[in-house]
């Protein structure tokens, strides 16, 4: 038997990155031999084994044959006669079809993967079998974002063909969400995920809200790009190093512009509120985790208010910061919101009078200062006389008077 490191780990090493996960292929072995060596078998469809010491995955070399419409409908053939080349040829992109025999530094490349890595291209290994798995459309979009690669023309056309033939409908929500979530990770060029899917007309089944967004026009004085989708993609590029949760909120913040009533165009009055139902629909469809849904809706609902902080009365400023920080308990939540607001404010290539740097950062400082003052404030913060006054109230009346007292306290601490 021979053991090879394969796939993404070999690719990442060539890109100068430290691989996060390592996958191995074992050629010339059997299930019985692997078990006798102490490996633990996992997986039902084909033999994958966990190393007895490292826990890393080792799979027997295999070939596969399409037997149905789903991306999971494959029959796998694995036996000691399957060669390394046969195993590599079943993979999706040439950059993922590389191997290195354990104990050597030589990279085995039978499909031109090293050439395509150097050219930063995603290329199908075998066009005739690439089209059998519709998940590869979303994997192409995800790797374009993760690696900041482009999809070469023939592979792009294959993805377009699968989308036009309706193959994407057969995917599970969990798999589509997982590809999106991976594309939104820190240090990914996440905008490439949606841009690629839009280019090949592959958004209709899973991301129809973004088709509408791509058709939404903007006023040039606010958005130089004059298009809501383009603005969103530029905004997304502004938070390239941020968390997937932040990126998802930026991705969704202007969805309400996609269904603006015709009679108020080109203005998008109320798009912040209209967007909430669209975010719910998107998250329901993708079965997205609630932490993504909740934060995206919070930013969508409040992103227009952030720009108006300077014109707000102190009570409104207090209420906004309270809402964005879980009642002054979570500063990280507020910081994430302000990061999203930064992306939105500077989500154009050409600046305008409405995205002044100094003004924006003054608003951020103001909101953080309000949080710092109010964080940890409770009844014991106030003098005995004020506490006694508050205790004379109850129910809703207490809540109202207590809030008024805290706002007066905030005002005094701000010196206003």
């Amino acid at each position: 038997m021979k053991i090879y490191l394969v796939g993404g780990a070999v690719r990442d090493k060539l890109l100068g990155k430290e691989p996060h996960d390592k996958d191995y292929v074992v050629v010339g072995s059997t299930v019985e031999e692997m078990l006798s060596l102490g490996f633990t078998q996992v997986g039902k469809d084909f033999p994958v084994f966990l190393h007895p010491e490292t826990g890393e995955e080792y799979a027997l070399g295999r070939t596969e044959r399409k037997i149905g419409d789903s991306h999971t409908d494959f029959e796998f053939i694995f036996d000691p006669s399957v060669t390394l080349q046969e195993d590599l040829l079943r993979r999706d992109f040439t950059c993922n079809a590389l191997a290195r025999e354990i104990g050597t530094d030589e990279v085995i490349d039978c499909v031109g993967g090293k050439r395509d890595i150097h050219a930063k291209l995603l290329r199908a290994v075998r066009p005739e079998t690439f089209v059998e798995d519709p998940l590869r459309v979303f994997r192409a979009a995800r790797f374009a974002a993760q690696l900041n690669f482009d999809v070469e023309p023939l592979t792009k056309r294959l993805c377009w063909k699968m989308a036009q033939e309706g193959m994407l409908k057969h995917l599970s929500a969990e798999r589509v969400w997982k590809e999106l979530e991976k594309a939104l990770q820190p240090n990914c060029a996440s905008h490439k995920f949606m841009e690629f899917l839009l280019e090949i007309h592959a958004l209709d089944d899973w991301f129809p809200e973004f088709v509408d967004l791509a058709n939404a026009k903007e006023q040039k004085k606010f958005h130089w790009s004059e298009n809501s989708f383009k603005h969103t993609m530029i905004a997304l590029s502004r938070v390239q190093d941020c968390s997937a949760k932040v990126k998802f909120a930026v991705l969704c913040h202007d969805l309400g512009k996609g269904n603006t009533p015709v009679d108020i165009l080109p203005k998008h009055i109320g798009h912040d509120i209209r967007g909430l139902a669209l975010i719910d629909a998107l998250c329901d469809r993708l079965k997205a985790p609630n932490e993504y849904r909740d934060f995206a809706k919070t930013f969508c609902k409040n992103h227009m208010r952030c720009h108006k902080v300077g014109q707000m009365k102190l009570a409104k400023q207090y209420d906004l910061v309270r809402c964005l920080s879980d009642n002054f308990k979570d500063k990280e939540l507020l910081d994430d919101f302000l990061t999203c607001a930064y992306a939105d404010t500077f989500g154009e290539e050409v600046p305008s009078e409405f995205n002044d740097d100094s003004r924006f950062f003054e608003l951020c400082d103001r909101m953080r200062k309000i949080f710092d003052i109010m964080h940890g404030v409770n009844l014991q913060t106030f003098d005995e006389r004020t506490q006694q006054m508050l205790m004379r109230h109850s129910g809703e009346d207490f809540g109202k008077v207590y809030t008024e007292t805290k706002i007066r306290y905030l005002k005094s601490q701000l010196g206003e």
Side-chain angles (χ1 to χ4, degrees), residues 93-95 113 115-123 147-153:
F93 305 105
T94 57
C95 64
R115 170 203 63 206
D116 288 333
I117 287 175
H118 180 73
K120 295 184 180 255
L121 287 176
L122 291 169
R123 186 189 307 274
L147 304 175
N148 201 9
F149 279 19
D150 293 321
V151 182
E152 66 86 28

Short mmCIF file of all heavy atoms in Angstrom, two decimals, residues 93-95 113 115-123 147-153:
data_model
loop_
_atom_site.label_atom_id
_atom_site.label_comp_id
_atom_site.label_asym_id
_atom_site.label_seq_id
_atom_site.Cartn_x
_atom_site.Cartn_y
_atom_site.Cartn_z
N PHE A 93 -11.62 20.26 -9.47
CA PHE A 93 -10.77 21.24 -10.14
C PHE A 93 -9.32 20.78 -10.14
O PHE A 93 -8.88 20.09 -9.22
CB PHE A 93 -10.89 22.60 -9.45
CG PHE A 93 -12.30 23.10 -9.36
CD1 PHE A 93 -13.00 23.07 -8.15
CD2 PHE A 93 -12.95 23.57 -10.49
CE1 PHE A 93 -14.30 23.50 -8.07
CE2 PHE A 93 -14.27 24.01 -10.42
CZ PHE A 93 -14.94 23.97 -9.20
N THR A 94 -8.60 21.20 -11.16
CA THR A 94 -7.22 20.74 -11.29
C THR A 94 -6.38 21.13 -10.07
O THR A 94 -5.49 20.38 -9.68
CB THR A 94 -6.58 21.33 -12.55
OG1 THR A 94 -6.64 22.76 -12.50
CG2 THR A 94 -7.29 20.85 -13.81
N CYS A 95 -6.67 22.28 -9.47
CA CYS A 95 -5.88 22.70 -8.31
C CYS A 95 -6.12 21.82 -7.10
O CYS A 95 -5.33 21.83 -6.15
CB CYS A 95 -6.17 24.16 -7.96
SG CYS A 95 -7.87 24.47 -7.42
N GLY A 113 -2.55 20.91 -12.59
CA GLY A 113 -2.98 21.69 -11.44
C GLY A 113 -2.00 22.78 -11.04
O GLY A 113 -2.40 23.89 -10.69
N ARG A 115 0.08 24.37 -12.93
CA ARG A 115 -0.01 25.44 -13.94
C ARG A 115 -1.19 26.37 -13.62
O ARG A 115 -1.08 27.60 -13.66
CB ARG A 115 -0.20 24.81 -15.33
CG ARG A 115 -0.55 25.78 -16.45
CD ARG A 115 -1.25 25.04 -17.58
NE ARG A 115 -2.52 24.48 -17.13
CZ ARG A 115 -3.12 23.42 -17.68
NH1 ARG A 115 -2.54 22.78 -18.68
NH2 ARG A 115 -4.27 22.99 -17.23
N ASP A 116 -2.33 25.77 -13.28
CA ASP A 116 -3.53 26.57 -13.02
C ASP A 116 -3.43 27.33 -11.69
O ASP A 116 -3.98 28.43 -11.56
CB ASP A 116 -4.77 25.68 -13.03
CG ASP A 116 -5.13 25.22 -14.44
OD1 ASP A 116 -4.79 25.94 -15.40
OD2 ASP A 116 -5.74 24.15 -14.58
N ILE A 117 -2.72 26.77 -10.72
CA ILE A 117 -2.50 27.51 -9.48
C ILE A 117 -1.65 28.74 -9.76
O ILE A 117 -1.94 29.84 -9.26
CB ILE A 117 -1.81 26.60 -8.42
CG1 ILE A 117 -2.82 25.57 -7.89
CG2 ILE A 117 -1.25 27.43 -7.28
CD1 ILE A 117 -2.22 24.55 -6.96
N HIS A 118 -0.63 28.58 -10.58
CA HIS A 118 0.23 29.71 -10.93
C HIS A 118 -0.58 30.79 -11.66
O HIS A 118 -0.37 31.99 -11.45
CB HIS A 118 1.39 29.24 -11.80
CG HIS A 118 2.33 30.34 -12.20
ND1 HIS A 118 3.22 30.92 -11.31
CD2 HIS A 118 2.50 30.99 -13.40
CE1 HIS A 118 3.90 31.87 -11.93
NE2 HIS A 118 3.49 31.94 -13.19
N ALA A 119 -1.54 30.35 -12.50
CA ALA A 119 -2.36 31.30 -13.28
C ALA A 119 -3.58 31.77 -12.50
O ALA A 119 -4.34 32.60 -13.01
CB ALA A 119 -2.80 30.64 -14.58
N LYS A 120 -3.78 31.23 -11.29
CA LYS A 120 -4.94 31.56 -10.45
C LYS A 120 -6.25 31.28 -11.17
O LYS A 120 -7.14 32.12 -11.26
CB LYS A 120 -4.90 33.02 -10.00
CG LYS A 120 -3.72 33.34 -9.09
CD LYS A 120 -3.78 34.77 -8.60
CE LYS A 120 -2.62 35.06 -7.70
NZ LYS A 120 -2.84 35.15 -6.33
N LEU A 121 -6.35 30.05 -11.69
CA LEU A 121 -7.53 29.64 -12.45
C LEU A 121 -8.15 28.38 -11.84
O LEU A 121 -7.44 27.47 -11.40
CB LEU A 121 -7.16 29.34 -13.90
CG LEU A 121 -6.87 30.53 -14.81
CD1 LEU A 121 -6.44 30.04 -16.19
CD2 LEU A 121 -8.09 31.44 -14.94
N LEU A 122 -9.47 28.34 -11.86
CA LEU A 122 -10.23 27.14 -11.51
C LEU A 122 -10.63 26.46 -12.82
O LEU A 122 -11.35 27.05 -13.63
CB LEU A 122 -11.47 27.49 -10.70
CG LEU A 122 -11.23 28.01 -9.28
CD1 LEU A 122 -12.53 28.56 -8.69
CD2 LEU A 122 -10.68 26.90 -8.38
N ARG A 123 -10.18 25.24 -13.01
CA ARG A 123 -10.44 24.51 -14.24
C ARG A 123 -10.97 23.12 -13.90
O ARG A 123 -10.41 22.42 -13.05
CB ARG A 123 -9.16 24.38 -15.07
CG ARG A 123 -9.35 23.76 -16.46
CD ARG A 123 -8.00 23.47 -17.11
NE ARG A 123 -7.14 24.64 -17.14
CZ ARG A 123 -7.17 25.57 -18.10
NH1 ARG A 123 -8.01 25.45 -19.10
NH2 ARG A 123 -6.33 26.60 -18.04
N LEU A 147 -9.82 31.38 -2.72
CA LEU A 147 -8.48 31.43 -3.29
C LEU A 147 -8.22 32.72 -4.06
O LEU A 147 -7.09 32.98 -4.46
CB LEU A 147 -8.27 30.24 -4.23
CG LEU A 147 -8.49 28.84 -3.62
CD1 LEU A 147 -8.38 27.77 -4.70
CD2 LEU A 147 -7.51 28.58 -2.49
N ASN A 148 -9.30 33.50 -4.28
CA ASN A 148 -9.23 34.69 -5.13
C ASN A 148 -8.76 34.31 -6.53
O ASN A 148 -7.90 34.98 -7.13
CB ASN A 148 -8.32 35.76 -4.52
CG ASN A 148 -8.60 37.15 -5.08
OD1 ASN A 148 -9.58 37.35 -5.79
ND2 ASN A 148 -7.74 38.09 -4.78
N PHE A 149 -9.32 33.20 -7.04
CA PHE A 149 -9.04 32.71 -8.38
C PHE A 149 -10.18 33.14 -9.31
O PHE A 149 -11.26 33.52 -8.86
CB PHE A 149 -8.96 31.18 -8.40
CG PHE A 149 -7.63 30.62 -7.95
CD1 PHE A 149 -6.73 31.37 -7.21
CD2 PHE A 149 -7.29 29.31 -8.27
CE1 PHE A 149 -5.52 30.84 -6.78
CE2 PHE A 149 -6.07 28.77 -7.85
CZ PHE A 149 -5.19 29.54 -7.11
N ASP A 150 -9.95 33.03 -10.60
CA ASP A 150 -11.00 33.19 -11.60
C ASP A 150 -11.37 31.81 -12.14
O ASP A 150 -10.54 30.90 -12.15
CB ASP A 150 -10.53 34.09 -12.74
CG ASP A 150 -10.32 35.52 -12.29
OD1 ASP A 150 -11.13 36.01 -11.47
OD2 ASP A 150 -9.36 36.16 -12.75
N VAL A 151 -12.60 31.68 -12.63
CA VAL A 151 -13.04 30.42 -13.23
C VAL A 151 -12.78 30.52 -14.73
O VAL A 151 -13.22 31.46 -15.39
CB VAL A 151 -14.55 30.18 -12.96
CG1 VAL A 151 -14.98 28.84 -13.56
CG2 VAL A 151 -14.85 30.23 -11.47
N GLU A 152 -12.03 29.54 -15.25
CA GLU A 152 -11.67 29.61 -16.67
C GLU A 152 -12.92 29.40 -17.54
O GLU A 152 -13.91 28.82 -17.09
CB GLU A 152 -10.55 28.63 -16.99
CG GLU A 152 -10.88 27.17 -16.87
CD GLU A 152 -11.50 26.62 -18.14
OE1 GLU A 152 -11.20 27.13 -19.23
OE2 GLU A 152 -12.28 25.66 -18.03
N PRO A 153 -12.93 29.91 -18.78
CA PRO A 153 -14.15 30.00 -19.59
C PRO A 153 -14.92 28.70 -19.79
O PRO A 153 -16.15 28.69 -19.67
CB PRO A 153 -13.64 30.54 -20.93
CG PRO A 153 -12.44 31.36 -20.55
CD PRO A 153 -11.79 30.61 -19.42
#
